[in-house]
Structures are given as structure tokens and as C-alpha cells.
Amino acid sequence: STSVASITPPRSERSPSWVEQQNSDMEPPWVTYRTFQQRLIELQQAAVRWGLHHQPVFERAARKLGMLAGPGTLRFDGESEMDVLMDGLIYEEQVQQRQVVAAFLAGYPCRDEMDRQLVAAMRTARFGLYRIETIIAERAEIELKALVAEATDTTLINVGLAKTAKPGAILALRVLRLPEFSMASGVLFPFAVGQEQRLVREWRKKQGFERYAHFFKLSRKEGIQIVFE
């Protein structure tokens, strides 16, 4: 799982700038993906920090996910569950009558073209349910078939997923669509092959944050182990 709350690489390890990336003679999408992924982590960290100033929002998100042990006290079964909370806080919880991510981005000054592309993708990112159709491991590409009306077919770039997932597996995740490729927000709920019809029924039982929380709790019970990076 890719942390949205705690990964801050040293200055010497930062990814190349947008200008450096553009001068690299058409690198494959999975190389460009790494650069965008690091910037996305930074943007999501900033959105989390912004959201933490609204304590009721933070506690509401934790309560819906079953992570609130008491006033101001959280309970996690592992580090990846912190990622689940942060993703839900940013993209599903609301403040000022809109998503936390939308409220944060309204005041965010884009630094460059990479920022502008990511900000546009974050504003329109939606949680969806998909089936893996094909995997091209050498390109880190996963072709996804949308299983619900809230999602559309897409080709996702994810290095770990392309190496460890299997065609037919079901994924609940949030897709960010960029001009050159699509990537995930950083949280994934994977389920075994053959669960499609039942999971679609589960999807229809809830909406919004409650649906996100429902799939998180289902994945705790019956999710499969894959690498997501």
C-alpha cells in the first residue's frame, strides 16, 4: 500500500521535475507514473493536513470506518488502515458542503503542469468496482472492466499490481484519470476471482462514504493479498 500520510522522501531522493521529465524522450508510462505518484502523495498529504484542522470531519471519517476508539483516539489493525482513513477523509468526507479534496484544492495554487493535471484528476476521482481483464506486466498496465455505473473501463498503471494480481480478480478502488494514463489514489480493496455478482449486489446496498466503508470492512474479512504500489 502506498502511504498517503507518512511518505516524505529526502530532498536528494525527489523525483525529477516536470521539465526534466518532459525532456526524457518519451519514457514509457510506468516511468512517468512514478513521478506523478510521488507528486500525488505530496498533494494528498497536504489535503490531509488541511482536513485535520476540521477535527469533527476527521472523527466522522474514523467513526464510519470503525477506527474511532474514543474521543481523539484511533485504532488501526495495520499501517495500511491509516491510508484507508486518509483516502476516505480526503475524497469521501465533506466540509463546507463539498468534499474535503474540493475544499482544499479551491485554495491550492498549482505550481506547474503536473500539478494542474493531478488537481483536475483529484477533483473528478471516483470510487469504483472493476474486474481485471488483462495484465501487461512489462508495461505495468492493468486493463479494468467497470462493473458499476459509477465507473468506466480504464487501463491502470501500477507496478506492484501488474506483478502480483490475476485476471478476473475484483478491485474496489479510486481511479484518477490523467491525459496520458490512469492511476489509483493509493488505496485498494482486492477480492478473489468469481466474486463479481455478489460484490455488485454489495455495492448497490450503500452510497458515498458508507459504500467506501462497507467495502473496507468486506476486504478485512475476505480480501486477497496483492502488492499495490
Side-chain angles (χ1 to χ4, degrees):
S1 173
T2 300
S3 174
V4 297
S6 60
I7 298 177
T8 307
R11 177 173 292 272
S12 61
E13 297 178 10
R14 286 184 309 176
S15 300
S17 70
W18 172 258
V19 173
E20 291 167 342
Q21 188 70 46
Q22 290 301 93
N23 290 336
S24 60
D25 295 327
M26 299 296 292
E27 290 178 324
W30 66 265
V31 176
T32 308
Y33 160 77
R34 288 296 199 189
T35 309
F36 273 80
Q37 181 191 42
Q38 184 57 53
R39 181 69 66 86
L40 176 63
I41 290 169
E42 294 170 6
L43 285 169
Q44 291 185 153
Q45 286 175 340
V48 167
R49 288 192 294 271
W50 188 92
L52 289 176
H53 291 297
H54 300 79
Q55 192 66 22
V57 175
F58 186 78
E59 292 203 358
R60 276 206 310 270
R63 184 178 296 109
K64 289 171 184 175
L65 291 164
M67 297 177 179
L68 192 65
T73 305
L74 301 177
R75 177 181 58 245
F76 299 112
D77 285 350
E79 183 180 342
S80 64
E81 292 198 356
M82 183 183 296
D83 301 347
V84 172
L85 172 59
M86 298 309 164
D87 193 84
L89 170 67
I90 296 168
Y91 292 103
E92 299 290 349
E93 195 55 77
Q94 294 201 339
V95 64
Q96 301 166 2
Q97 297 184 322
R98 53 184 171 175
Q99 291 172 299
V100 168
V101 66
F104 163 72
L105 293 175
Y108 177 78
C110 290
R111 295 166 286 178
D112 53 24
E113 179 62 21
M114 190 187 301
D115 262 8
R116 282 186 281 275
Q117 290 188 20
L118 283 169
V119 164
M122 289 170 74
R123 284 196 173 110
T124 58
R126 295 291 179 270
F127 189 57
L129 189 66
Y130 303 87
R131 182 183 64 241
I132 297 178
E133 294 290 273
T134 58
I135 298 172
I136 307 174
E138 63 272 18
R139 293 180 56 83
E141 293 181 356
I142 305 98
E143 292 185 10
L144 298 178
K145 175 70 175 177
L147 301 179
V148 292
E150 293 83 356
T152 55
D153 297 353
T154 190
T155 299
L156 193 74
I157 302 291
N158 191 276
V159 177
L161 191 60
K163 291 178 180 177
T164 59
K166 295 181 179 179
I170 309 302
L171 309 178
L173 77 166
R174 194 180 317 280
V175 173
L176 281 74
R177 298 177 184 277
L178 297 157
E180 294 183 17
F181 57 88
S182 293
M183 60 191 295
S185 64
V187 168
L188 168 74
F189 306 133
F191 299 90
V193 175
Q195 301 297 311
E196 177 179 329
Q197 293 185 355
R198 185 181 61 82
L199 290 170
V200 169
R201 289 195 297 270
E202 294 294 334
W203 179 273
R204 292 171 179 160
K205 292 179 181 179
K206 309 280 184 180
Q207 292 185 343
F209 204 142
E210 286 70 25
R211 173 184 284 157
Y212 176 80
H214 184 50
F215 271 79
F216 162 61
K217 292 168 186 176
L218 283 175
S219 74
R220 265 181 163 178
K221 298 176 183 177
E222 57 188 80
I224 59 175
Q225 294 295 317
I226 61 172
V227 177
F228 188 57
E229 61 184 20

